[in-house]
Amino acid sequence: MRSRTIAAAAAFGLLALTGCGAADMTKQSSPYADAHGAKTVTLSVQSWVGAQANVAVAQYLLEHELGYRVDTVQIDEVPAWDALSQGRVDAILEDWGHPEQEQRYVADKKTIAPGGELGVTGHIGWFVPKYFADTNPDVTDWKNLDKYADRLRTAESGGKGQLLDGSPSYVTNDKALVKNLDLDYQVVFSGSEAAQITQIKQFAKEKKPFLTYWYKPQWLFEQVPMTEVKLPAYEEGCDADPEKVACAYPHTPLRKFLNARFADAGGPAAEFLKNFHWTTGDQNEVALMIADRKLSPEQAAERWVKKNESTWRAWLPK
């Protein structure tokens, strides 16, 4: 996901996020983006539920406190940078690190401007369920994973242990890690965040062992406690060559980016989005309402807003 992409989860109510219906911005442009002089904003929304939580709260406050019309559009991570540069969307509220795009559009072309940190630190890793780690504590060291490959084998993993991933569109290091660490495992794609959650919950219900790519922040840890497997320590640049990477994923302060014209001339909306800054706990609270309690994003945002006025008041333009 995220630097490392997650794409695909209409199952979490993505359509309900938008004021006029979500659009595939890979091929289509929103009429509300880059609309000079109009009180309209278009936000890019990624398919993982934490990103949807950001957008839901930002949209609710932009509409109810600042009087804007907000459109949201679903785009995979890398195409979203292209759309942002071209003014087809105005802002990305959760970026997990795309150095190539940042160099091209922020540093070189200057068509995208940094929007500040979101306040949440993201981390991707490999995880096993706590109930399995408690009885097999050495499984949390990658050097011992092959010892458990037989127990982690599935019908889909071709005689090897299974490393469960999400969508094939996620930009991950997992295949390279399995190869470069010489592990007896096969990366198996569930298809989406929603499908991966369903599979993890099923494993947990049956108390079966599993090894999965997963990430923080994520509300699922509250329902299925998981323990991270220690991969070789991350060092700056160790993941520079995606074919040779053999180290853990970094801890990444998640950031916001705005279309450069919008950042300069977007008025109160741009100022509000630059000010938008909350905690992992805040994001997980809204995400849990959307994904697990099945509230619409707007309903979840409204509940959070009513409880946290002292937080969001500071985001409003002075």
Side-chain angles (χ1 to χ4, degrees):
M1 153 186 174
R2 313 128 116 39
S3 148
R4 306 183 155 139
T5 300
I6 281 188
F12 288 142
L14 181 60
L15 293 179
L17 275 175
T18 174
C20 66
D24 178 2
M25 289 297 290
T26 303
K27 300 178 180 178
Q28 181 177 344
S29 179
S30 166
Y32 303 102
D34 199 25
H36 302 291
K39 292 195 72 172
T40 60
V41 180
T42 297
L43 302 177
S44 171
V45 55
Q46 286 76 24
S47 61
W48 59 91
V49 71
Q52 294 175 18
N54 304 326
V55 171
V57 170
Q59 177 176 357
Y60 187 90
L61 290 169
L62 281 166
E63 291 179 343
H64 292 270
E65 293 294 324
L66 297 177
Y68 280 80
R69 165 63 186 261
V70 179
D71 190 34
T72 65
V73 290
Q74 180 182 0
I75 322 177
D76 288 349
E77 288 179 84
V78 173
W81 279 79
D82 299 330
L84 187 63
S85 173
Q86 296 162 12
R88 293 189 286 127
V89 298
D90 295 317
I92 296 171
L93 299 186
E94 182 174 312
D95 183 79
W96 283 63
H98 292 83
E100 291 183 12
Q101 283 71 30
E102 192 171 347
Q103 179 64 42
R104 180 182 305 125
Y105 293 126
V106 178
D108 296 340
K109 293 188 175 182
K110 296 181 172 50
T111 53
I112 291 177
E117 291 192 0
L118 176 64
V120 177
T121 296
H123 176 59
I124 294 167
W126 292 0
F127 292 85
V128 294
K130 184 176 182 298
Y131 55 78
F132 187 56
D134 286 345
T135 56
N136 303 276
D138 64 338
V139 74
T140 60
D141 186 332
W142 72 270
K143 295 176 183 177
N144 300 319
L145 283 176
D146 278 356
K147 174 181 173 182
Y148 296 95
D150 286 348
R151 296 179 65 181
L152 295 169
R153 185 182 300 162
T154 68
E156 293 78 24
S157 62
K160 299 185 176 185
Q162 174 177 279
L163 171 57
L164 182 65
D165 270 43
S167 167
S169 68
Y170 298 3
V171 182
T172 80
N173 298 331
D174 288 354
K175 285 188 174 181
L177 283 168
V178 167
K179 177 183 177 183
N180 296 330
L181 296 177
D182 195 24
L183 295 172
D184 188 26
Y185 282 79
Q186 176 70 38
V187 175
V188 176
F189 295 100
S190 61
S192 69
E193 183 186 60
Q196 193 174 5
I197 287 172
T198 298
Q199 183 64 78
I200 289 171
K201 282 186 171 183
Q202 186 61 37
F203 282 136
K205 181 179 179 181
E206 299 172 5
K207 292 295 182 182
K208 289 184 177 180
F210 63 85
L211 174 66
T212 188
Y213 158 105
W214 205 233
Y215 36 86
K216 299 178 179 181
Q218 227 293 337
W219 60 270
L220 186 64
F221 284 104
E222 296 183 22
Q223 297 189 354
V224 183
M226 289 182 270
T227 302
E228 186 170 3
V229 174
K230 293 180 181 177
L231 295 170
Y234 177 84
E235 296 179 359
E236 190 69 33
C238 70
D239 55 356
D241 186 338
E243 298 298 322
K244 296 181 180 180
V245 60
C247 60
Y249 291 91
H251 288 77
T252 306
L254 306 184
R255 295 186 296 161
K256 303 165 291 178
F257 288 92
L258 279 58
N259 172 272
R261 289 192 303 272
F262 175 75
D264 289 339
E271 185 177 349
F272 166 81
L273 292 174
K274 292 173 187 176
N275 292 341
F276 187 102
H277 185 277
W278 63 352
T279 67
T280 296
D282 292 325
Q283 188 189 83
N284 277 342
E285 182 181 351
V286 178
L288 185 64
M289 286 190 277
I290 296 171
D292 187 63
R293 298 175 190 166
K294 307 306 179 184
L295 273 66
S296 71
E298 183 177 9
Q299 290 171 329
E302 182 178 12
R303 287 195 183 185
W304 185 89
V305 164
K306 286 182 176 180
K307 288 173 53 182
N308 295 275
E309 183 171 354
S310 61
T311 297
W312 59 259
R313 280 286 174 195
W315 307 340
L316 300 181
K318 304 303 183 185

